Amino acid sequence: MIKTVVKDLFRNQERFKDQTVQLSGWIRTLRDSKTVGFLELNDGTFFKSVQVVFEDSLENYKEITKLPISSSVSVEGVFVPTPEMKQPFEIKAHKIVVEGLSNPDYPLQKKRHTLEYLRTIAHLRPRANTFSAVFRVRSLASYAIHKFFQEKGFVNVHTPIITGSDTEGAGEMFRVTSLDLNNVPVTEEGKVDEKKDFFGKESNLTVSGQLNAETFALAFRNVYTFGPTFRAENSNTARHAAEFWMVEPEVAFAELPDIMDLAEEMVKFIIGFIFEQAPEELEFFNSFIDKTLIERLKNAQESDFGRITYTEAVELLQKSEQKFEYPVEWGTDLQTEHERYLSEEVYKRPVFVTDYPKEIKAFYMRANDDGKTVAATDLLVPGIGELIGGSQREEREEVLADKIKELGMSEEDYWWYLELRKYGGTKHSGYGIGFERLIMYLTGMKNIRDVIPFPRTPGNADF
Amino acid sequence: MIKTVVKDLFRNQERFKDQTVQLSGWIRTLRDSKTVGFLELNDGTFFKSVQVVFEDSLENYKEITKLPISSSVSVEGVFVPTPEMKQPFEIKAHKIVVEGLSNPDYPLQKKRHTLEYLRTIAHLRPRANTFSAVFRVRSLASYAIHKFFQEKGFVNVHTPIITGSDTEGAGEMFRVTSLDLNNVPVTEEGKVDEKKDFFGKESNLTVSGQLNAETFALAFRNVYTFGPTFRAENSNTARHAAEFWMVEPEVAFAELPDIMDLAEEMVKFIIGFIFEQAPEELEFFNSFIDKTLIERLKNAQESDFGRITYTEAVELLQKSEQKFEYPVEWGTDLQTEHERYLSEEVYKRPVFVTDYPKEIKAFYMRANDDGKTVAATDLLVPGIGELIGGSQREEREEVLADKIKELGMSEEDYWWYLELRKYGGTKHSGYGIGFERLIMYLTGMKNIRDVIPFPRTPGNADF
């Protein structure tokens, strides 16, 4: 007898033919006549379930036929190919042991539930088809990212979650504290006595690991972060969460086009990995979530991404016949409707927009010679809009110091960031990709709450 | 001309023989006579540096000879094997371009610095040999963990960082808030008005992803988390940090011995991966940090880990002639000195201690039939003490509910955790491994502050 899992059965059908196997899993459906029963067993290792046939010769036949959905069982039986049936094989059981009873009020009965309802049972929703597929793809995409960068020799750096810095020079941050909020210690001036807090000063949850990653890029050349980041913005949209994961590669001796090449290669690698590892999940999404998903991903994988400057993009948008909700004007940020129009209607594939006006981009981006723009890029993709944002970093110490002053930021807070430019600074560039947005792109899911295991949004930190 | 990196040169010396290559990196050392100069170039892709020879025929010869250490340059030159020299090859440069000047006050001059001093320049220390090695090993160990679990089909689950739950039923947590601490809103009773906070209730930084991971194990069978966790404990020791990363696999249909097998296999896999990928770094640690490191790791890789019950371990310790600072008595937790004695002196290899008294272990661990112990295990390793802690989880709904009541915990807070037992719960087990402790084990480094890029400890959240 071979102890195995459902994935192995599906992937190695030849090997298991006529073998006796042992499986454990949860019952998805169950039906029976007086003498024979059928149950679909899902063990979570594979998107599909396996059909188990059992006859009334089993001594606990009656007990099995009465099991509530989602009960867990272990099954011993023979692998029988069934080429004439819908499923390619089934297991003829000669023994079924009940591992754990479920309950008739199990919330995930066969009828379809709304995604909104399923969010209220986040502890059970990974057992539903949609979330089984989403979270398996999420795990695979996470691995694809590590694989892509590690095989290129990138060093993975765990940048800090708790920080005294504020990368964007703006952005609403969560405060981290060990102070008793019912009894906040105050100074003589009546302000919070920050010295009494755990870290001896105000500290917050990070909004980006980039500045820290730069210190490592200037030691290891090629590095990347992959970790949680936070925004305390009170926006209740389908695209925003208070806690989300971000991937941020940072490359020394690289200019803007170098990291655009890297980003394009990375996106194609991830898509390829998902097609290879999760074809059943992609088929499911394409059938039930987004009918154009596979076509869109294949197209991205096979096309050369477009490249256009912000200035050219603005001209294109202004000349277009398209009605936009927001007007397009040089100097303002592109809205999702503009980004999607560019990638979906004009380019019909992913497109990099480069060289944005300096006023709408972050302080650390490298000033272009035109005095008006910075060496920044956003990757826009059909169905999503912005997927990646990156830039060449300002490596000139004086230019950077002037910028920090100009924006009224505190030079003291950035002493170590400036020192990177003093001690062998060099051209370097990097980008950030919101991991959840990537998962939405790969699955067709439309709400960020449905691609995070336990989403955190305003008013919601359950589970 | 081949654009390449130092790692490729060292790993493929045959291929590069007599080829012209282009490299970029930072100058580690520089010396010259009137007509010829030598510089060691390190580009961060490899532990070792490459020797670059340049002659006064270079038009900027003088400029190059005067560069401060850590300046960044790009070099074009020919790869020349030097079998008679200490280094296996060198680059005869015909062009050197200065990318970024360093400064004569660069803090990492050739003389050795204390680890304590280097912590104060965490933005530069990855350029020092020790930290170059530590953080490359950290990155490789991180990848080894993903590789190990993913190739076994485990689903990586990103459990939440911000949480309303407290896994251990104790433990000091950091508060996360968007409230203004200078102006905390209060209820009519004069208490913090938690409803006004971002999530509408008190929320904290997670101390463990385990309870959340269990929900996924009961859907996907094999899962693991790998993310940051937090403790607001005011302990200033070499082993404690406020922010650290943890790996937590969780396996359905698994009993305690199953996850001990898994842990043993994982530790051996990681050690093997580091030997394969970072032999130069291990040699360095063995020479300069811990002379017994390689022997200890090889021994762990090649031995069968010991297995002993807590009760037997206590008897062994009590019978030993060893003088301990803390007395050993059945019912109390083992101290690091006991753990190290067991693995270093008694077993001389890693050893699993199992079946601890229920009073000293967490509420979710499965009660053994003896009524006194739980199905818990710690893996003790030479040089470290406890490296891994795991257990079989209590899958019996009533036993768990009783335990929660007995400990005065709130059943309401755990409604979803209890429901996992109601809807097809099954035997399941898992363990946690502190990632920093693993890195200390792999490198011989003695202080947790030296294996985290930017450590967070009481009074310190710099960078």
Side-chain angles (χ1 to χ4, degrees):
Chain A
M1 192 176 63
I2 314 171
K3 248 185 125 160
T4 188
V5 294
V6 174
K7 182 178 180 180
D8 280 352
L9 294 185
F10 273 92
R11 290 278 188 256
N12 306 292
Q13 296 179 27
E14 273 309 306
R15 180 186 156 215
F16 285 105
K17 195 171 167 234
D18 304 329
Q19 299 285 323
T20 298
V21 298
Q22 199 262 9
L23 294 170
S24 298
W26 293 269
I27 297 173
R28 279 284 179 91
T29 65
L30 181 66
R31 63 197 161 86
D32 70 287
S33 69
K34 269 185 189 142
T35 56
V36 60
F38 302 87
L39 64 85
E40 274 186 278
L41 188 77
N42 189 291
D43 73 354
T45 64
F46 198 60
F47 181 64
K48 293 186 176 172
S49 304
V50 60
Q51 170 151 295
V52 176
V53 189
F54 57 102
E55 296 183 355
D56 61 356
S57 51
L58 291 191
E59 58 177 29
N60 58 351
Y61 180 78
K62 272 253 137 55
E63 181 199 3
I64 302 299
T65 59
K66 286 177 185 147
L67 287 175
I69 299 307
S70 194
S71 297
S72 57
V73 294
S74 289
V75 173
E76 286 177 26
V78 178
F79 180 105
V80 182
T82 52
E84 72 288 352
M85 314 283 258
K86 217 181 78 190
Q87 68 280 7
F89 61 88
E90 60 189 25
I91 305 297
K92 279 189 93 76
H94 54 251
K95 187 176 175 189
I96 299 181
V97 176
V98 179
E99 298 281 349
L101 269 184
S102 185
N103 200 292
D105 69 356
Y106 179 62
L108 285 169
Q109 301 295 335
K110 223 192 162 184
K111 74 180 169 78
R112 287 182 75 174
H113 295 283
T114 64
L115 296 174
E116 288 75 14
Y117 169 70
L118 291 171
R119 280 174 215 146
T120 67
I121 49 167
H123 61 311
L124 300 175
R125 69 175 180 170
R127 307 180 189 188
N129 271 335
T130 302
F131 292 96
S132 168
V134 165
F135 293 125
R136 211 176 289 100
V137 166
R138 185 178 169 113
S139 169
L140 290 167
S142 149
Y143 187 46
I145 286 164
H146 286 296
K147 203 173 164 71
F148 176 78
F149 287 114
Q150 292 273 354
E151 289 183 357
K152 283 185 174 298
F154 279 60
V155 168
N156 182 200
V157 47
H158 292 130
T159 49
I161 309 303
I162 299 172
T163 177
S165 319
D166 175 354
T167 301
E168 304 286 339
E172 296 186 58
M173 300 175 88
F174 285 105
R175 171 78 191 243
V176 175
T177 183
S178 64
L179 298 176
D180 178 359
L181 265 55
N182 279 309
N183 193 10
V184 175
V186 291
T187 60
E188 287 180 4
E189 292 79 37
K191 288 274 168 197
V192 179
D193 188 353
E194 305 287 2
K195 289 213 171 65
K196 297 246 170 75
D197 208 347
F198 192 90
F199 298 106
K201 63 176 181 183
E202 184 184 332
S203 64
N204 299 292
L205 291 180
T206 185
V207 295
S208 158
Q210 179 200 315
L211 302 197
N212 294 97
E214 284 184 54
T215 70
F216 269 58
L218 294 181
F220 294 104
R221 184 165 179 153
N222 301 319
V223 305
Y224 72 107
T225 70
F226 188 177
T229 51
F230 306 84
R231 298 284 154 83
E233 274 159 36
N234 198 358
S235 35
N236 246 315
T237 81
R239 295 160 61 92
H240 292 90
E243 174 181 324
F244 55 100
W245 285 61
M246 198 138 75
V247 183
E248 296 177 284
E250 189 74 30
V251 184
F253 305 105
E255 300 180 17
L256 193 64
D258 298 315
I259 56 129
M260 288 158 66
D261 291 345
L262 184 72
E264 179 167 345
E265 194 186 341
M266 181 197 75
V267 169
K268 288 175 175 175
F269 180 86
I270 297 168
I271 293 173
F273 192 79
I274 301 300
F275 270 113
E276 187 188 297
Q277 299 285 324
E280 290 82 3
E281 284 83 350
L282 286 178
E283 285 294 343
F284 170 82
F285 293 128
N286 204 63
S287 301
F288 295 102
I289 304 291
D290 180 343
K291 303 267 182 220
T292 60
L293 176 73
I294 288 185
E295 187 195 328
R296 207 164 58 235
L297 293 177
K298 280 254 178 259
N299 175 51
Q301 207 186 5
E302 285 157 13
S303 65
D304 288 327
F305 292 5
R307 300 188 178 202
I308 183 177
T309 66
Y310 168 87
T311 304
E312 291 163 342
V314 166
E315 280 167 19
L316 262 174
L317 289 165
Q318 285 172 336
K319 275 190 214 145
S320 82
E321 306 285 296
Q322 189 75 7
K323 286 243 179 233
F324 292 117
E325 191 183 337
Y326 294 89
V328 182
E329 206 178 337
W330 201 99
T332 61
D333 213 352
L334 300 180
Q335 300 296 319
T336 301
E337 56 174 343
H338 310 136
E339 296 175 333
R340 293 188 57 169
Y341 178 79
L342 285 168
S343 63
E344 288 167 21
E345 304 300 327
V346 182
Y347 279 86
K348 300 182 194 302
R349 59 195 156 105
V351 54
F352 289 104
V353 178
T354 63
D355 304 299
Y356 283 79
K358 62 181 180 183
E359 286 78 11
I360 59 172
K361 288 291 182 182
F363 76 95
Y364 50 72
M365 298 188 177
R366 192 180 199 278
N368 285 330
D369 292 342
D370 63 14
K372 291 189 294 186
T373 61
V374 289
T377 186
D378 282 358
L379 175 65
L380 316 181
V381 299
I384 296 279
E386 184 198 330
L387 181 64
I388 288 177
S391 73
Q392 189 165 336
R393 317 309 189 187
E394 186 55 77
E395 86 280 13
R396 296 163 293 189
E397 190 184 356
E398 275 183 38
V399 180
L400 182 62
D402 285 349
K403 184 83 186 194
I404 286 175
K405 264 181 234 151
E406 186 189 316
L407 294 175
M409 294 157 62
S410 148
E411 230 177 314
E412 265 171 55
D413 289 350
Y414 294 92
W415 69 272
W416 54 273
Y417 190 64
L418 284 161
E419 277 201 358
L420 294 181
R421 278 71 185 165
K422 185 177 172 189
Y423 297 125
T426 178
K427 281 177 295 201
H428 62 290
S429 304
Y431 61 83
I433 176 164
F435 186 60
E436 281 72 20
R437 206 167 281 183
L438 173 69
I439 304 306
M440 291 163 80
Y441 179 60
L442 292 171
T443 60
M445 299 295 288
K446 297 288 179 278
N447 195 310
I448 194 169
R449 293 169 179 78
D450 297 327
V451 299
I452 305 182
F454 302 92
R456 270 70 182 105
T457 51
N460 181 23
D462 292 339
F463 302 100
Chain B
M1 192 175 65
I2 314 170
K3 248 184 125 162
T4 187
V5 294
V6 174
K7 181 179 180 179
D8 279 352
L9 295 185
F10 274 92
R11 290 276 187 258
N12 306 291
Q13 297 179 29
E14 274 308 306
R15 180 185 155 214
F16 284 106
K17 193 169 170 240
D18 303 329
Q19 298 285 321
T20 299
V21 298
Q22 199 262 7
L23 294 171
S24 299
W26 294 269
I27 297 175
R28 280 283 179 92
T29 66
L30 181 67
R31 64 197 161 86
D32 70 286
S33 69
K34 270 186 186 141
T35 56
V36 60
F38 301 87
L39 65 85
E40 274 187 278
L41 188 77
N42 190 290
D43 73 354
T45 64
F46 198 60
F47 181 65
K48 294 186 174 172
S49 304
V50 62
Q51 170 151 293
V52 176
V53 189
F54 57 102
E55 297 182 353
D56 62 355
S57 52
L58 290 193
E59 58 176 29
N60 58 351
Y61 180 77
K62 272 251 137 54
E63 181 197 4
I64 301 299
T65 59
K66 287 176 185 148
L67 287 176
I69 298 306
S70 194
S71 296
S72 57
V73 294
S74 288
V75 173
E76 285 177 27
V78 179
F79 180 105
V80 181
T82 52
E84 71 288 354
M85 314 283 259
K86 217 182 77 189
Q87 68 280 6
F89 61 88
E90 60 188 26
I91 305 297
K92 279 188 93 75
H94 54 250
K95 188 174 173 189
I96 300 181
V97 177
V98 179
E99 298 281 349
L101 270 183
S102 185
N103 201 291
D105 70 356
Y106 179 62
L108 285 169
Q109 301 296 335
K110 224 192 163 184
K111 74 179 170 78
R112 286 183 77 175
H113 295 283
T114 64
L115 296 174
E116 288 74 15
Y117 169 69
L118 291 170
R119 280 175 215 146
T120 67
I121 50 167
H123 61 312
L124 301 176
R125 69 175 181 170
R127 305 180 191 188
N129 271 335
T130 303
F131 293 96
S132 168
V134 164
F135 293 125
R136 209 175 291 99
V137 166
R138 185 178 169 113
S139 169
L140 290 167
S142 148
Y143 188 46
I145 286 164
H146 286 297
K147 203 174 164 72
F148 176 78
F149 286 114
Q150 291 273 354
E151 288 182 358
K152 283 185 172 299
F154 279 59
V155 168
N156 182 200
V157 46
H158 292 129
T159 49
I161 309 302
I162 299 172
T163 176
S165 318
D166 174 354
T167 301
E168 305 286 338
E172 295 187 57
M173 301 175 87
F174 285 105
R175 172 76 191 243
V176 174
T177 182
S178 64
L179 298 176
D180 178 359
L181 265 54
N182 278 310
N183 193 10
V184 176
V186 291
T187 61
E188 286 180 6
E189 291 80 37
K191 288 274 169 197
V192 179
D193 189 351
E194 306 286 2
K195 290 215 170 63
K196 296 245 169 74
D197 207 346
F198 192 90
F199 298 107
K201 63 175 180 182
E202 184 184 332
S203 63
N204 299 291
L205 291 179
T206 185
V207 295
S208 159
Q210 179 199 315
L211 302 197
N212 294 96
E214 284 185 53
T215 70
F216 269 58
L218 293 182
F220 293 104
R221 183 165 180 154
N222 301 318
V223 306
Y224 71 106
T225 70
F226 188 176
T229 51
F230 306 85
R231 297 285 153 85
E233 274 159 37
N234 198 358
S235 34
N236 245 316
T237 81
R239 295 160 62 90
H240 291 91
E243 174 180 324
F244 55 99
W245 284 61
M246 199 138 74
V247 183
E248 296 176 284
E250 189 73 30
V251 184
F253 304 106
E255 300 181 18
L256 193 64
D258 298 315
I259 56 128
M260 288 158 66
D261 291 344
L262 184 72
E264 179 168 346
E265 192 186 341
M266 181 197 76
V267 169
K268 289 174 175 176
F269 179 87
I270 296 168
I271 293 173
F273 192 78
I274 301 300
F275 270 113
E276 188 188 296
Q277 300 283 324
E280 290 81 4
E281 285 82 351
L282 287 179
E283 285 294 343
F284 170 83
F285 293 127
N286 204 64
S287 301
F288 295 102
I289 304 292
D290 180 343
K291 304 269 182 221
T292 61
L293 177 72
I294 288 184
E295 186 196 330
R296 207 163 60 235
L297 294 177
K298 280 254 178 261
N299 175 50
Q301 208 186 4
E302 285 158 13
S303 65
D304 288 326
F305 292 6
R307 300 189 178 203
I308 183 177
T309 66
Y310 167 88
T311 303
E312 292 162 341
V314 166
E315 280 166 21
L316 263 174
L317 290 164
Q318 284 173 337
K319 276 189 215 144
S320 82
E321 306 285 297
Q322 188 75 9
K323 285 242 178 231
F324 293 116
E325 191 183 339
Y326 294 91
V328 182
E329 207 179 337
W330 200 99
T332 61
D333 214 351
L334 299 181
Q335 300 295 319
T336 301
E337 56 174 343
H338 311 136
E339 297 175 335
R340 292 187 59 170
Y341 178 78
L342 285 169
S343 62
E344 289 167 21
E345 304 300 327
V346 182
Y347 279 85
K348 301 182 194 302
R349 59 194 155 105
V351 54
F352 289 103
V353 178
T354 62
D355 304 299
Y356 283 79
K358 64 181 179 183
E359 285 78 10
I360 59 171
K361 288 291 183 182
F363 77 95
Y364 49 73
M365 297 187 177
R366 193 180 197 278
N368 285 329
D369 291 343
D370 63 14
K372 292 189 292 186
T373 62
V374 290
T377 186
D378 282 358
L379 176 65
L380 316 180
V381 298
I384 296 280
E386 185 198 329
L387 181 65
I388 289 178
S391 73
Q392 189 165 337
R393 318 309 189 187
E394 185 56 77
E395 86 279 13
R396 295 163 294 189
E397 190 184 356
E398 275 183 38
V399 180
L400 182 63
D402 286 348
K403 183 84 186 193
I404 285 174
K405 262 183 236 152
E406 186 189 316
L407 294 175
M409 295 158 61
S410 149
E411 230 178 315
E412 265 171 54
D413 288 351
Y414 294 91
W415 69 271
W416 54 272
Y417 190 64
L418 285 160
E419 277 202 359
L420 294 181
R421 279 70 185 166
K422 184 176 173 192
Y423 297 124
T426 179
K427 281 178 295 200
H428 62 291
S429 304
Y431 61 83
I433 175 164
F435 185 60
E436 282 72 20
R437 206 166 280 182
L438 174 69
I439 304 306
M440 291 165 79
Y441 179 60
L442 293 170
T443 60
M445 299 295 289
K446 296 287 177 277
N447 195 310
I448 193 169
R449 293 167 179 79
D450 297 327
V451 299
I452 305 182
F454 302 92
R456 270 73 182 103
T457 50
N460 181 24
D462 293 339
F463 304 100

